Amino acid sequence: MARHVTRPGRRWLSAAVAVSGALTLLAGCSSEDESTGAATSISLVASFSGEGESPAQQMAQAYETETGVHIEVRNVPPDSYDQVVRTELQGGSGADIIGATPGALFPTSVGPLVAAGMLAPVTDPAVAKGILPGSEHLYTYDGKVYAAPTSIVATGLVVNDQALRSAGVTSVPTTFEGLLDSCESTTGDTALVGIAGSNPSSTAVLVAELAANHVYAEDRDWNQKRAAGEVTFADSKGWQQVFEVIEDMVSAGCFQDGAAGIGFDQLITDLVSGSTATVPIPSLAAASIKRAAPDVEVSIHAFPPAEGSTGLLVAGPSFGYAINAAANPSHQEAAQKFASWLADPANAQIVAEAEGGVPLSVVNGDASKVPDYYVPVADAIVAGDMMYLPSYDWDNPEVAAAMGTGVQSLMTGQGTGKEALQAMDAAWQSG
Amino acid sequence: MVRIRFGYWWWALPAVIAMAAAHYGATAVGGFFAFTDWKGLGDFTFVGLDNFRRVFADPKMLTALVNTLVLAAGFVVGTNGIGLLLALGLNRGVRSRYLLRTLLFMPVVLSPLAVSYLWRFIFDFHGPLNSLLESIGREDLRRIWLADPTFSLWVVMFVMVWQGAGIAVVVYLAGLTAVSIEVEEAAVLDGAGTWSRFRHIVLPALRPAITISLTLTIIQGLRAFDQIFALTGGGPAGATETMATQVYKQAFTLGNFGFGAAMALVLTLVILAFTIIQQSALRRREN
């Protein structure tokens, strides 16, 4: 049988042609400018689930239009975000820019990522300047800033104004006692306060808002004292009041029927449809509703404090962009430029509009840039009279999980407020 | 005489190595992290048996272990009891038995998550079940099924049995083919009743099928995750938490990878122990 014999020289030539062809193709797809070596395309990973363009994609588009640098955005659903990002970073395949929550609470918060050596410091001093006073420690480790904050998100009561009126309540109560009265006097099938009882993250938001009024309004350094072991949750009068208040709300029938079994998606559906008038939730939900259902009148309010006491609005950036320390140098450089772009006050409006938040530049600045549905909390934000989500200071997510589960057990009669606080202390000790 | 050539066995070596690396290698690496404080990122330190001490000292873990055992026991009894009854009913005689077998097996091939989300809708407070109760005038029976600490575990068990019974039906139907019709007919002629025939003819022939079905359902029941995750997420307040859901939460939600690995190792040992006990008990009985 005749065999076709390839000579070694020709074989090598064929291989060389194939390799050079592949290299030419790869050069065409390169993410770097050949002449300057600067990155022309970088990657970004952010937490998002929903329809349409994510806030990160909108920001990336605006950035590309202005600078010509393409940002490849990858949206990861919130419930798998920590896991996906950690696996990628550990495997060395993480995105150049990583969406991270401030502080140390979650596995992908700035603190744990810095501790694991995964983040490069953000070098532009403008980024440090843009961080709201009092929250510098949530982004700064060993004197270096590791993430650029985006916009201010208020965690209060998101109100469906039409549903509130149809429930016979003319305006959002300004005191907790007024809220309880309204719960008892609502008419029709509308529940005054909605809660996703089956989702500990949702119930934890309610606790955080109440804790702002009962604990942190009086003592902003409470977390530092807890870290120093000077106070405990179970022995704190303010924290005890938080769970007493929730019991009062359950007794007054504030929550919707079957609240203990409601999931987060159902909660939002109920708020949009008007079967629930108010929901304690971050204001980003209001922005999403405004986009998805423009006819629904929504507004954001601080959770009403007890009569005669001063409340405290929970508000601050809930997200920041950090730079992957393992990204190649040209991509890190491009990521630094993106961080600088975020910190530029001229771009604050773009960032806020994309996220549905309030521009950072509004604090001690121009109140006219506050979106209309934020008006009830605008004064507090402009005056800087607010506090970030208190749990951002905690470095053990089990404490927040125990907090959320505590509300659940209170609603189902499985436990008491005291037991919930003891569980939070136990979780704190285990961390 | 056919001479067996030495060397045939190692032809399988690459596949054996690949399987060992994928199955046992990965398990061994996971087991290694059970002795560390690794958070899923960066460095770690060895903590000896600390993670295991924590597993047995934490009351939440004890609740999860009890729930795991209760769910597994209910699942084994439910799937095998219902599976055997259905298999006996569909073995002979029924004209539509082939269609019914297909319908009964259908839930097994569906995604547990998809099925659970469907049941979640049914058990929702405003869902069809409560609506039905309301329509028949039994409002007093309406409840938040999936957030009721008394009922939620039973609801999860019900869904698991609903989906798992089909596999037991198939195993028992296969086992029933070993039952001789002639022997059964002879027993009828001798005046043996239904129970007596089942006890002395059908059951002995079914023993291999029972062994297989029990082993499969014990393992499936002990490692149940999907249905719990989709129906209750382990709630309300840990009422349906099992070791499998705790492994997921600790390792992937809370970032305690080392502790989660320790829990996974304990769960593996529990499954192994129950499987060995069950196998040896049935083998002794067969002997």
Side-chain angles (χ1 to χ4, degrees):
Chain A
M1 192 176 80
R3 289 171 68 195
H4 177 74
V5 180
T6 309
R7 291 173 62 184
R10 187 175 291 179
R11 205 185 296 159
W12 279 110
L13 185 66
S14 308
V17 168
V19 169
S20 68
L23 287 174
T24 312
L25 278 172
L26 284 173
C29 303
S30 170
S31 60
E32 285 166 14
D33 187 303
E34 277 180 34
S35 55
T36 62
T40 54
S41 176
I42 50 176
S43 56
L44 182 152
V45 64
S47 168
F48 178 75
S49 70
E51 287 171 14
E53 280 192 328
S54 69
Q57 281 169 317
Q58 292 174 49
M59 268 185 260
Q61 216 162 44
Y63 185 68
E64 186 172 358
T65 307
E66 196 177 313
T67 65
V69 175
H70 176 68
I71 300 179
E72 189 63 44
V73 175
R74 196 156 50 82
N75 299 312
V76 178
D79 49 0
S80 58
Y81 187 73
D82 287 340
Q83 190 187 336
V84 169
V85 170
R86 272 186 310 163
T87 307
E88 287 179 352
L89 286 172
Q90 186 66 22
S93 60
D96 301 321
I97 301 169
I98 296 147
T101 40
L105 183 63
F106 302 109
T108 51
S109 290
V110 177
L113 293 180
V114 171
M118 297 294 164
L119 300 184
V122 179
T123 50
D124 188 345
V127 173
K129 268 188 202 165
I131 296 172
L132 294 178
S135 64
E136 295 90 345
H137 62 289
L138 302 176
Y139 305 88
T140 314
Y141 294 86
D142 292 330
K144 294 171 187 163
V145 172
Y146 282 89
T150 51
S151 62
I152 297 166
V153 172
T155 303
L157 280 177
V158 172
V159 178
N160 178 335
D161 296 312
Q162 292 139 317
L164 192 73
R165 285 193 294 271
S166 71
V169 182
T170 48
S171 62
V172 177
T174 51
T175 65
F176 179 69
E177 289 73 12
L179 179 82
L180 286 184
D181 288 344
S182 300
C183 288
E184 285 163 355
S185 63
T186 45
T187 53
D189 292 333
T190 304
L192 194 63
V193 184
I195 191 166
S198 73
N199 185 334
S201 308
S202 168
T203 50
V205 169
L206 172 67
V207 180
E209 291 178 24
L210 293 169
N213 285 348
H214 291 274
V215 181
Y216 299 95
E218 285 180 20
D219 186 359
R220 299 260 182 127
D221 296 329
W222 195 91
N223 282 340
Q224 284 69 37
K225 289 178 184 166
R226 181 65 191 85
E230 293 167 19
V231 291
T232 63
F233 291 104
D235 291 334
S236 158
K237 200 179 164 208
W239 276 102
Q240 288 165 9
Q241 284 170 348
V242 167
F243 281 88
E244 285 164 13
V245 158
I246 295 172
E247 280 182 282
D248 291 343
M249 290 176 75
V250 173
S251 305
C254 289
F255 301 120
Q256 73 275 47
D257 284 345
I262 298 280
F264 189 76
D265 292 345
Q266 182 64 44
L267 181 70
I268 299 299
T269 307
D270 289 350
L271 181 64
V272 174
S273 70
S275 60
T276 290
T278 75
V279 169
I281 198 173
S283 56
L284 296 181
S288 303
I289 292 169
K290 287 290 265 185
R291 272 195 288 264
D295 294 342
V296 178
E297 285 175 40
V298 286
S299 56
I300 297 151
H301 298 254
F303 198 93
E307 211 166 292
S309 68
T310 315
L312 177 63
L313 175 69
V314 177
S318 64
F319 216 55
Y321 285 105
I323 298 166
N324 183 355
N328 84 38
S330 65
H331 285 223
Q332 281 196 37
E333 203 183 316
Q336 294 283 1
K337 285 180 182 162
F338 177 66
S340 300
W341 182 85
L342 284 175
D344 187 341
N347 298 320
Q349 191 71 28
I350 299 170
V351 174
E353 275 172 19
E355 279 203 321
V358 177
L360 282 166
S361 56
V362 155
V363 178
N364 298 320
D366 183 3
S368 68
K369 288 184 176 164
V370 176
D372 56 351
Y373 52 101
Y374 276 90
V375 164
V377 292
D379 287 348
I381 291 176
V382 173
D385 188 12
M386 57 190 172
M387 186 195 177
Y388 51 85
L389 211 59
S391 52
Y392 284 167
D393 274 335
W394 307 344
D395 58 6
N396 183 356
E398 285 183 64
V399 183
M403 185 165 86
T405 308
V407 180
Q408 215 174 28
S409 62
L410 207 67
M411 293 173 80
T412 56
Q414 286 167 277
T416 61
K418 191 180 175 188
E419 285 166 347
L421 293 170
Q422 285 168 342
M424 288 166 71
D425 280 319
W428 189 288
Q429 298 296 345
S430 73
Chain B
M1 192 179 90
V2 179
R3 199 173 152 205
I4 298 169
R5 280 174 57 192
F6 175 76
Y8 278 158
W9 66 271
W10 57 258
W11 288 4
L13 210 56
V16 171
I17 291 170
M19 195 204 74
H23 281 261
Y24 305 109
T27 308
V29 171
F32 165 80
F33 282 109
F35 300 92
T36 71
D37 65 351
W38 196 44
K39 297 278 182 188
L41 262 185
D43 299 331
F44 56 83
T45 49
F46 283 97
V47 294
L49 295 172
D50 282 2
N51 287 332
F52 294 94
R53 282 192 203 101
R54 203 178 138 199
V55 169
F56 293 108
D58 192 337
K60 270 188 302 191
M61 303 306 153
L62 187 67
T63 308
L65 179 64
V66 171
N67 286 344
T68 305
L69 297 178
V70 169
L71 265 185
F75 181 69
V76 169
V77 172
T79 47
N80 286 286
I82 293 168
L84 182 58
L85 285 174
L86 290 171
L88 288 169
L90 295 174
N91 188 33
R92 297 178 204 136
V94 183
R95 270 173 175 268
S96 56
R97 62 182 179 276
Y98 295 109
L99 174 70
L100 290 172
R101 282 178 194 179
T102 309
L103 289 176
L104 285 171
F105 191 69
M106 197 83 88
V108 177
V109 298
L110 297 174
S111 153
L113 277 176
V115 165
S116 304
Y117 281 120
L118 198 70
W119 279 107
R120 187 174 152 167
F121 165 72
I122 293 168
F123 284 114
D124 187 85
F125 185 74
H126 299 290
L129 179 60
N130 277 344
S131 300
L132 177 74
L133 291 169
E134 197 177 352
S135 67
I136 59 170
R138 294 308 306 268
E139 279 186 28
D140 56 312
L141 294 178
R142 287 170 72 216
R143 59 193 74 246
I144 316 166
W145 298 98
L146 295 170
D148 187 316
T150 313
F151 287 94
S152 51
L153 194 67
W154 300 106
V155 170
V156 171
M157 194 188 289
F158 168 80
V159 174
M160 284 171 62
V161 170
W162 181 86
Q163 184 160 33
I167 197 83
V169 173
V170 170
V171 173
Y172 288 125
L173 278 171
L176 285 169
T177 57
V179 180
S180 160
I181 298 173
E182 290 78 13
V183 175
E184 272 204 86
E185 283 173 353
V188 172
L189 290 174
D190 287 345
T194 309
W195 170 248
S196 184
R197 271 182 286 141
F198 174 74
R199 172 77 182 82
H200 298 290
I201 299 169
V202 177
L203 207 55
L206 272 181
R207 271 188 187 145
I210 293 171
T211 308
I212 293 168
S213 187
L214 284 182
T215 308
L216 289 176
T217 48
I218 282 177
I219 294 170
Q220 215 176 327
L222 287 170
R223 67 176 193 190
F225 175 81
D226 298 8
Q227 290 94 342
I228 305 162
F229 190 72
L231 286 166
T232 63
T240 58
E241 207 77 78
T242 63
M243 292 192 73
T245 58
Q246 275 293 343
V247 167
Y248 175 82
K249 282 184 183 171
Q250 289 294 336
F252 301 114
T253 308
L254 300 172
N256 296 326
F257 197 89
F259 184 52
M263 288 204 69
L265 210 57
V266 171
L267 177 61
T268 307
L269 293 176
V270 168
I271 292 173
L272 201 65
F274 273 91
T275 310
I276 290 169
I277 291 167
Q278 177 258 331
Q279 288 275 353
S280 59
L282 286 174
R283 200 167 296 149
R284 212 175 302 138
R285 185 162 285 187
E286 275 177 32
N287 290 338

